Amino acid sequence: MTDTDDDYVYDEDSGEWMPAAELAERRHAASRPEVRDAVGNLLADGDQVTLIKDLDVKGAGQTLKRGTLIKSIRLTGDAQEIDCKFDGIKGLVLRAEFVRKR
């Protein structure tokens, strides 16, 4: 089966005809806020970041030290928050202002 069965729609922004699914994906991507780290680098899902200051983790009784590497972040839809995993801490959400892209 080919993609020729897809409905084509006119995109007024680009002035092109394109598959409806592609246009919907473009509009969804445009509606997501940009998330930037402490120095202004654009963050994306899967990026690695390091902490720029010591952070006390509420509810975990643990402090994450400056320079700690956080792997594979996920964007939350909030321009200031990122979701990440760290050993021993479930549901860790960090403010983008406290991290730097690696």
Side-chain angles (χ1 to χ4, degrees):
M1 184 170 203
T2 63
D3 289 341
T4 58
D5 296 337
D6 197 10
D7 291 333
Y8 278 76
V9 293
Y10 184 73
D11 179 26
E12 294 181 14
D13 294 335
S14 67
E16 301 175 0
W17 287 92
M18 62 181 54
E22 183 180 332
L23 180 60
E25 185 177 320
R26 280 189 183 183
R27 288 185 177 163
H28 178 68
S31 68
R32 282 189 246 153
E34 288 186 346
V35 180
R36 297 194 178 267
D37 68 0
V39 293
N41 297 320
L42 190 62
L43 297 174
D45 286 339
D47 283 348
Q48 293 183 3
V49 296
T50 54
L51 298 179
I52 62 168
K53 75 179 260 185
D54 293 350
L55 298 174
D56 292 325
V57 181
K58 294 180 181 177
Q62 189 174 357
T63 300
L64 295 177
K65 298 291 183 187
R66 179 177 166 207
T68 301
L69 177 65
I70 306 290
K71 297 179 181 179
S72 189
I73 65 167
R74 288 183 301 168
L75 304 180
T76 62
D78 183 337
Q80 293 299 316
E81 295 181 350
I82 56 173
D83 186 31
C84 47
K85 293 181 181 178
F86 191 76
D87 295 336
I89 304 174
K90 286 187 174 185
L92 181 62
V93 177
L94 296 174
R95 301 275 303 171
E97 64 190 283
F98 299 126
V99 299
R100 184 182 70 223
K101 187 174 180 177
R102 190 164 163 113

